[in-house]
């Protein structure tokens, strides 16, 4: 395995040369540190600022100082950030937050690792934000920052139209016609086109609408939510309701902890309606061109039975999912196979295949869900495991998320805490936590899988599910029951030998064995997220786009919700939690560009 770019060196008590500081006053420590930090910021004394950090400390920023997603490691790089952006940003009005859920608190992360978390609000020339700092103790009784996170929450001159800023005029009969004209863009073109009416597209459209940016969502499917509705019938979200809330409109308290895909689809359809989002369904983009002098797109849209429209817009936002086209391995002899072979994206239900012989190629979330569906319908089912899989129970995932994502904990604050640590630190923490979970809460499952030959791992560099999700977008299974079926022999496992070819009756392997099948489902993932953008915008535009998804050199998500290499072109995808939080940051960047606040050429670090 490749060398870990973020080797484990947490600032443990031993490494810092201190004993457990459990008897300190969190409020006093936080107040003293923030006073020194604020004074140095006010005086623009960047050397004094960085002296308040550990030598290998971090400053992570989400559009507050950098108008980007950046992480700076070590005093040298932090000073470089401040020298370039402190005066330009006008960071001021730093105020310690002391409400019950954001007050300073000493946290014992592990038996040998303690930090003190504090939060403060701040103001810049353009908006207000929240910062989260994690301090660690030193032998001289001083505390220094291990990590600091700054995040812009709002634009001062362009706040979201929420609460007291909502529309306060009574409407006596004109609302329906007004909505029709708005949705049709009868009198104007949108500023932004969002491609894709799934959760990421709708959440981005909602953020843009309520920050004052006219936005049109286009989807080729007949109904909003069909991107979820048309997937396999057994699909259910593997993470919890509290983690999956949608902006401006929370699920009701009657909502189940784990949401069926069809139920989510209906919710998204209602979400678009209740938030008055402008959506054209059953529509496709047939032609685009970019004018670099005017920084505009000319877009031709085929609206099916409603004809064709040509629009001039400033921004494209691609919300077409975490992957590109379905990936299916090129296996010789497919024409000879007398059964049915399909990608998991084409599979709907096992109900029509009762008693059949089935092979699932792949061993991650979709593969397990589909295999369990076949198992429930009496099929003779074998999963072919091409490589080892990270397995974690849904209960363990819920426990991880439950620190912040739970009843009576504000989602916005949960998102801030969940994003507050640099990926390098998250990875180091998870490299400790993941083996502990595997040896305790999930030990019985993992031992049972090992006994039947199912191969598991601990994730990339032993950092578990988050490393696989953020770096690869897959490679794991959140166990919702299929592992027991594997352990009990109801779902058989084949691994250790490559697929050689199709046969008339199934698949032949390099070890000479053959598995018979009536149906073969390839749960083998998806291609590059840029695939659909290339089809819409062409090769010339696509050649300028950076990597999309995965982790960049600073530990930030590459190309997502941020500048991706081409003006007026953005990507948003990921799970509901990431889309919910970062859709606001995407919207603020676009609004800032449109209002002349942000010129990327001026932000050089």
């Amino acid at each position: 395995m490749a060398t870990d770019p973020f080797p484990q060196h947490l600032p443990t008590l031993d490494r810092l040369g201190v004993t457990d500081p459990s008897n300190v006053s969190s409020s006093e420590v936080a107040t003293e540190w923030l006073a020194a930090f604020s004074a140095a910021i006010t005086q623009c004394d960047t050397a004094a600022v960085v002296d308040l950090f550990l030598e290998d400390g971090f400053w992570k920023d989400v559009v507050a100082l950098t108008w980007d997603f950046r992480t700076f490691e070590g005093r040298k790089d932090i000073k470089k950030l401040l020298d370039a952006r402190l005066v330009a940003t006008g960071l001021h009005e730093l105020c310690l937050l002391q409400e019950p859920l954001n007050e300073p608190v000493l946290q014992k992360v592990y038996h040998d690792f303690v930090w003190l978390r504090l939060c403060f609000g701040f103001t810049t020339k353009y908006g207000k934000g929240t910062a989260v700092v994690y301090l660690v103790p030193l032998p001289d009784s001083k505390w220094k920052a291990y990590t600091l996170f700054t995040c812009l929450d709002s634009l001062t001159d362009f706040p979201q139209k929420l609460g007291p800023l909502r529309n306060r005029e009574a409407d006596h009969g004109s609302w329906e016609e007004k909505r029709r004209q708005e949705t049709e863009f009868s009198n104007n073109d949108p500023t932004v086109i969002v491609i894709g009416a799934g959760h990421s597209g709708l959440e981005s459209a909602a953020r843009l609408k309520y920050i004052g940016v006219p936005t049109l969502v286009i989807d080729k499917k007949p109904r909003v939510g069909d991107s979820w509705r048309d997937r396999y019938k057994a699909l259910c979200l593997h993470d919890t309701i509290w983690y999956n809330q949608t902006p401006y409109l929370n699920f009701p308290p009657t909502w189940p902890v784990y949401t069926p895909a069809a139920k989510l689809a209906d919710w998204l359809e209602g979400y678009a309606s209740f938030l008055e989002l402008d959506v054209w369904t059953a529509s496709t983009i047939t032609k685009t061109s970019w004018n670099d002098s005017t920084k505009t797109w000319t877009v031709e849209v085929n609206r099916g039975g409603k004809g064709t429209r040509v629009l001039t817009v400033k921004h494209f936002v691609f919300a077409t999912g975490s992957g590109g086209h379905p990936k299916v391995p090129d296996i010789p002899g497919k024409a000879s196979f007398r059964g049915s072979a399909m990608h998991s994206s084409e599979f709907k239900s096992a109900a029509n295949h009762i008693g059949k012989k089935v092979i699932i190629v792949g061993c991650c979330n979709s593969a397990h869900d589909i295999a369990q569906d076949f198992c429930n319908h009496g099929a003779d089912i074998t999963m072919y495991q091409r490589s080892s899989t990270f397995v974690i129970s849904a209960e363990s995932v819920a426990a991880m998320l439950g620190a912040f994502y739970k009843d009576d904990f504000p989602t916005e604050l949960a998102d801030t805490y969940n994003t507050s640590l640099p990926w390098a630190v998250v990875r180091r923490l998870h490299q400790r936590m993941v083996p502990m979970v595997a040896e305790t809460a999930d030990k019985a499952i993992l031992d049972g899988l090992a006994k039947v030959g199912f191969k598991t791992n601990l994730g990339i560099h032993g950092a578990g599910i988050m490393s696989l999700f953020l770096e690869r977008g897959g490679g794991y299974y959140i166990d919702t029951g299929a592992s027991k079926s594997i352990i009990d022999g109801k779902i058989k496992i084949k691994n250790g030998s490559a697929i050689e070819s199709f046969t008339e009756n199934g698949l032949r392997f390099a070890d000479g064995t053959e598995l018979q099948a009536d149906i073969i489902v390839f749960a083998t993932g998806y291609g590059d997220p840029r695939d659909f953008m290339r089809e819409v915008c062409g090769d010339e535009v696509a050649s300028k786009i950076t990597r999309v998804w995965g982790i960049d050199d600073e530990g930030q998500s590459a190309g997502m919700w941020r500048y991706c290499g081409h003006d007026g072109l953005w990507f948003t995808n990921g799970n509901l939690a990431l889309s919910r939080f970062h859709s606001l940051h995407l919207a603020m960047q676009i609004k800032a560009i449109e209002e002349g606040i942000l010129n990327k050429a001026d932000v050089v670090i």
Side-chain angles (χ1 to χ4, degrees):
M1 186 171 282
T3 302
D4 187 348
F6 305 111
Q8 183 170 346
H9 48 86
L10 291 169
T12 59
L13 297 174
D14 284 347
R15 182 170 169 241
L16 296 169
V18 297
T19 57
D20 190 343
S22 55
N23 58 354
V24 302
S25 166
S26 297
S27 179
E28 289 180 8
V29 170
T31 300
E32 180 180 346
W33 185 90
L34 185 58
F37 181 80
S38 183
I41 291 290
T42 300
Q43 297 163 17
C44 292
D45 187 346
T46 58
V49 173
V50 298
D51 190 52
L52 295 168
F53 285 76
L54 290 183
E55 286 282 357
D56 56 352
F58 296 84
W59 188 316
K60 179 180 180 180
D61 183 67
V62 173
V63 304
L65 275 73
T66 63
W67 289 112
D68 199 353
F69 290 52
R70 299 289 304 274
T71 300
F72 301 87
E73 181 176 3
R75 289 180 178 174
K76 180 180 178 182
D77 282 354
I78 292 172
K79 189 174 189 304
K80 183 179 177 183
L81 160 69
L82 295 171
D83 287 340
R85 297 297 301 162
L86 183 56
V87 172
T89 303
L91 186 64
H92 64 290
E93 293 181 358
L94 280 58
C95 179
L96 185 67
L97 303 181
Q98 301 190 72
E99 296 299 317
L101 295 176
N102 59 25
E103 64 188 348
V105 59
L106 188 70
Q107 298 178 319
K108 192 164 189 175
V109 185
Y110 296 115
H111 74 278
D112 62 343
F113 182 42
V114 176
W115 59 28
L116 190 154
R117 186 188 70 205
L118 68 99
C119 302
F120 65 86
F122 62 85
T123 302
T124 71
K125 290 180 180 179
Y126 306 112
K128 293 185 179 297
T130 301
V132 183
V133 190
Y134 296 87
L135 305 178
V136 294
L138 296 181
D140 59 3
S141 298
K142 298 290 186 182
W143 291 71
K144 293 201 174 185
Y146 179 38
T147 79
L148 183 151
F149 172 62
T150 44
C151 181
L152 194 66
D153 300 329
S154 63
L155 297 174
T156 302
D157 293 336
F158 310 101
Q160 299 175 78
K161 305 300 182 183
L162 311 176
L165 299 179
R166 73 178 83 203
N167 181 7
R168 305 183 69 86
E169 296 179 4
D171 187 296
H172 299 286
S174 63
W175 176 78
E176 287 180 307
E177 175 59 20
K178 179 184 175 184
R179 281 296 301 134
R180 187 194 68 78
Q181 291 188 24
E182 286 176 349
T183 300
E184 290 297 312
F185 285 90
S186 302
N187 304 313
N188 64 297
D189 286 353
T191 301
V192 179
I193 286 179
V194 175
I195 303 175
H199 64 274
S200 293
L202 296 177
E203 289 172 344
S204 296
R207 298 291 198 182
L208 287 159
K209 178 183 178 75
Y210 292 105
I211 206 172
V213 181
T215 300
L216 170 64
V217 182
I218 293 176
D219 199 292
K220 65 183 178 182
K221 291 180 177 289
R223 293 172 61 188
V224 171
D226 276 349
S227 59
W228 285 96
R229 194 177 286 112
D230 291 347
R231 297 190 67 189
Y232 55 89
K233 190 175 181 180
L235 178 59
C236 185
L237 299 188
H238 291 197
D239 35 35
T240 64
I241 174 180
W242 304 281
Y243 188 64
N244 291 325
Q245 296 286 7
T246 47
Y248 311 133
L249 191 64
N250 280 348
F251 297 120
T254 57
W255 202 265
V257 172
Y258 298 100
T259 307
K263 187 174 179 70
L264 178 62
D266 289 349
W267 174 266
L268 293 175
E269 194 167 41
Y271 182 84
S273 175
F274 297 142
L275 292 180
E276 299 185 359
L277 306 182
D278 302 319
V279 184
W280 292 358
T281 54
S283 300
T284 55
I285 294 175
T286 52
K287 184 186 297 185
T288 67
S289 62
W290 169 255
N291 186 323
D292 200 47
S293 60
T294 61
K295 302 297 183 183
T296 57
W297 297 94
T298 301
V299 185
E300 183 179 282
V301 184
N302 182 342
R303 300 195 63 193
K306 296 183 179 181
T308 299
R309 280 281 298 274
V310 177
L311 305 169
T312 301
V313 304
K314 300 292 287 296
H315 303 270
F316 261 147
V317 177
F318 282 85
T320 49
S322 297
H325 297 303
K327 288 198 305 185
V328 177
D330 185 14
I331 299 170
K334 184 177 180 181
S336 66
F337 179 51
R338 295 188 297 188
S340 173
M342 68 191 76
H343 187 266
S344 59
S345 59
E346 303 169 276
F347 174 79
K348 295 299 180 281
S349 173
N352 298 325
H353 307 290
I354 294 173
K356 299 291 187 179
K357 290 185 177 181
V358 182
I359 300 173
I360 308 290
V361 179
C363 273
C364 298
N365 270 342
S366 294
H368 279 82
D369 285 351
I370 294 170
Q372 187 62 47
D373 189 20
F374 276 114
C375 184
N376 292 342
H377 285 87
D380 180 352
I381 173 76
T382 301
M383 290 177 72
Y384 171 63
Q385 186 180 33
R386 298 181 297 169
S387 58
S388 62
T389 308
F390 176 75
V391 177
I392 185 171
S393 66
E395 293 79 9
S396 291
V397 170
M400 288 167 52
L401 298 176
F404 304 132
Y405 295 100
K406 54 188 175 182
D407 284 330
D408 302 322
F409 200 105
T411 303
E412 293 81 2
L413 182 58
D415 286 340
T416 299
Y417 285 154
N418 191 48
T419 311
S420 64
L421 291 172
W423 171 235
V425 176
V426 173
R427 174 180 274 185
R428 293 165 192 169
L429 293 171
H430 281 220
Q431 284 172 329
R432 278 196 169 196
M433 179 189 68
V434 168
M436 290 169 56
V437 172
E439 287 297 319
T440 54
D442 289 348
K443 180 174 173 57
I445 292 171
L446 296 175
D447 285 352
L449 291 173
K451 287 178 182 177
V452 296
F454 187 92
K455 297 178 180 179
T456 63
N457 61 56
L458 295 179
I460 300 171
H461 305 300
I465 190 169
M466 288 307 297
S467 64
L468 289 160
F469 173 63
L470 293 174
E471 297 190 35
R472 284 179 43 191
Y476 55 86
Y477 172 52
I478 301 175
D479 180 30
T480 55
S483 288
K484 186 176 188 306
S485 296
I486 294 171
I487 293 167
D488 292 345
K490 296 176 182 178
I491 299 173
K492 298 186 286 292
I493 298 298
K494 169 71 177 178
N495 55 28
S497 182
I499 298 173
E500 192 171 78
S501 67
F502 282 94
T503 66
E504 286 188 2
N505 300 313
L507 292 175
R508 179 181 292 113
F509 296 85
D511 62 6
T513 61
E514 180 178 342
L515 284 178
Q516 294 192 348
D518 302 299
I519 304 158
I520 302 174
V521 180
F522 289 91
T524 45
Y526 296 84
D528 194 306
R530 295 170 291 188
D531 287 349
F532 298 111
M533 177 275 302
R534 184 180 296 275
E535 292 177 357
V536 170
C537 299
D539 291 339
E540 182 179 349
V541 170
S543 68
K544 299 177 182 178
I545 304 303
T546 60
R547 177 185 177 192
V548 174
W549 200 252
I551 297 295
D552 68 13
D553 291 342
E554 294 180 354
Q556 297 279 11
S557 291
M560 296 294 306
W561 316 288
R562 57 193 290 210
Y563 181 70
C564 66
H566 193 288
D567 292 337
L569 201 155
W570 311 81
F571 290 86
T572 174
N573 62 46
N575 61 28
L576 278 89
L578 287 175
S579 295
R580 174 185 61 242
F581 191 47
H582 292 315
S583 56
L584 174 60
H585 307 128
L586 169 61
M588 286 194 292
Q589 289 173 83
I590 290 175
K591 183 65 173 177
I593 290 170
E594 291 307 299
E595 298 297 340
I597 294 172
L598 171 58
N599 182 344
K600 281 292 183 183
D602 296 336
V603 184
V604 179
I605 303 173

